[in-house]
Amino acid sequence: MDLSLAIFVQIIAAVLLIIALMVGNAVVMVYMERKVAGFIQRRPGPYEVGPWGTLQAVCDSMKLLAKQLYRPGNVDLILYYLAPITAFFPVLLLFLAIPFGPWLTPLPVNDGIVLILAFAGLGVLSNLLAGWASNNKYSLLGAARAVSQTVAYEIPMILALLAVVLQSGSMDLKRITDQQGQWPWEWNIVLQPLAFFIYLVSLVGETNRAPFDLPEAESELTAGFHTEYSGMGFALFFLSEYANMLLVSFVAAVFFLGGYKGPFADGFWWLFLKAYAVMFFMVWIRWTFPRVRFDQLLNINWKWLLPLGLINLWLTAIIVKIAL
Amino acid sequence: MLQAIWDNIKGLYSLLVGMSITGRYLLSPVETIHYPRQVVADEIMASFRGPIQLTKGKKDPAQTRCISCQMCVKACPGHCLSVTKGDTKAPAQWLYDFSYCCLCGACVETCPTGALEFSHKVYLVTLTREELILDLLADLQKRAAILPESQPVPTANLAPPTVPDVESIGEPK
Ligand code: SF4
Ligand code: SF4
């Protein structure tokens, strides 16, 4: 691989843009989350700071920046400070493989989805480190839950994505996008509705969001694995959580919803529109369903999603074999 | 097995029902009232049980019906009432410490002459605890002066803070 200056500059620029995207996304998502929560509960949500409360999230992040970093006694120093960083950086890397537009892939890789799935697994490592290092029973419980949940939900997620990979014969996100058409009925969601459904459920489990937010269940574990983090430590977890949501939404958009392709004009706007539609869906279910119990959570996964994913994969394999 | 599958399909359907409800709420207008830019209509306030007050007299609205029997003082679990008998049956002083009141309504229930009732004051705010010791006789005089006898039901008499463009919203149910 010739690492010429051009590629180097391209990667640096992409990383900077992605950091901006992650921060901007967190601000937008906090605002959207609170507004949607408000409207679903028939109250206005934030509305005092700025027009329609739009500056509320900015104020909150300023507050987080200014907060003292408080560290409880008896923590494992190295791991305690390492955990937020390990939460943040893998996500950064993952965005590199997403094809944002016909000519807009930060780092074109052949096996983009392998990269994404491999590094997505690192996210749970940060949860584990944070929970272990905090020297707090709630953190530890949250971390234990995070690990078993993420490990469990990764499997149906991969199975669902594999079905699409089998069907399109490529692991390259760009090629998968290119095989889908501009109009909604030409997207993979029509051919793989079951895989999309499985992916949608396991995406909520994978990002630790309600109703599967057991690792940070407020009513049971105060805040789960990030209980003992304040200020920027917490902010980094927060950022990477929203970035993770954005990432799985991007993957959903690329794999099932035609990626950057859309009616009239292809471009990154379609990708963002689709990803934010998926995010809106996640916010919507968060404010609709109560949190599941842990055994229910694992039952949904092992008893339903996994067999369904396997059946779907087999069927896809057979059909692809016959059709070719 | 089939039963379990069928149950899960029904469960999925129930999830959709839930989402349709929240989706409908998402699109319907908000119910919250933006205090202090808007205030709740007086008709709605009529069902609000605020701090207790003395009812108006039958003949003279400024005259309390209280006969200083001390039943309410005994009934009150918070010991927040103190009624001092005057020369006649009518009380000379009627003090009510709202900071101890739990709004249980025992005083209202026990009063043999129906001299007590819940008010509809929502805007009661003070800076010190002492200001929460309310002189109900004086309050009664004030209300009687504001509302002549002919006028029906008394509503909140503590006026909401004056803020420009106060609009009153909400329909009586
Ligand atoms: S409402 Fe209850 S607590 Fe309040 S004054 Fe009456 S009896 Fe006492
Ligand atoms: S019970 Fe009624 S009549 Fe007796 S003192 Fe209390 S308010 Fe007056």
Side-chain angles (χ1 to χ4, degrees), chain A residues 189-209:
Chain A
I189 184 175
V190 180
L191 298 171
Q192 295 280 3
L194 186 59
F196 181 64
F197 174 73
I198 293 169
Y199 184 77
L200 215 52
V201 178
S202 45
L203 156 162
V204 181
E206 185 73 12
T207 50
N208 299 338
R209 294 219 9 127

Side-chain angles (χ1 to χ4, degrees), chain A residues 35-36 38-44 47-48 197 280-281 284-285 287-289 304, chain B residues 4-5 8 12 15 18-20 22-23 25-26 28-32 34-35 37:
Chain A
K35 269 295 187 199
V36 172
F39 286 141
I40 281 181
Q41 294 162 1
R42 316 261 325 244
R43 59 189 174 78
Y47 71 97
E48 283 292 349
F197 174 73
F280 173 76
F281 176 78
W284 184 6
I285 58 174
W287 296 103
T288 304
F289 304 134
W304 296 102
Chain B
I5 290 174
N8 276 276
L12 278 180
L15 293 186
M19 289 189 68
S20 77
T22 46
Y25 278 8
L26 181 72
S28 42
V30 296
E31 294 269 12
T32 320
H34 294 189
Y35 185 81
R37 295 196 181 79

Side-chain angles (χ1 to χ4, degrees), chain B residues 49 52 72 75-81 94 96-98 100-108 110 116 118:
Chain B
R49 291 175 21 147
I52 59 161
C72 55
C76 175
H79 305 297
C80 34
L81 306 178
W94 218 112
Y96 164 45
D97 188 352
F98 182 51
Y100 287 122
C101 177
C102 59
L103 297 167
C104 65
C107 52
V108 179
T110 36
L116 292 173
F118 284 109

Side-chain angles (χ1 to χ4, degrees), chain B residues 54 64-73 81 83 91 94 107 110-116:
Chain B
L54 293 171
T64 172
R65 295 183 208 170
C66 174
I67 51 171
S68 309
C69 70
Q70 311 289 334
M71 291 286 280
C72 55
V73 180
L81 306 178
V83 182
W94 218 112
C107 52
T110 36
C111 181
T113 58
L116 292 173

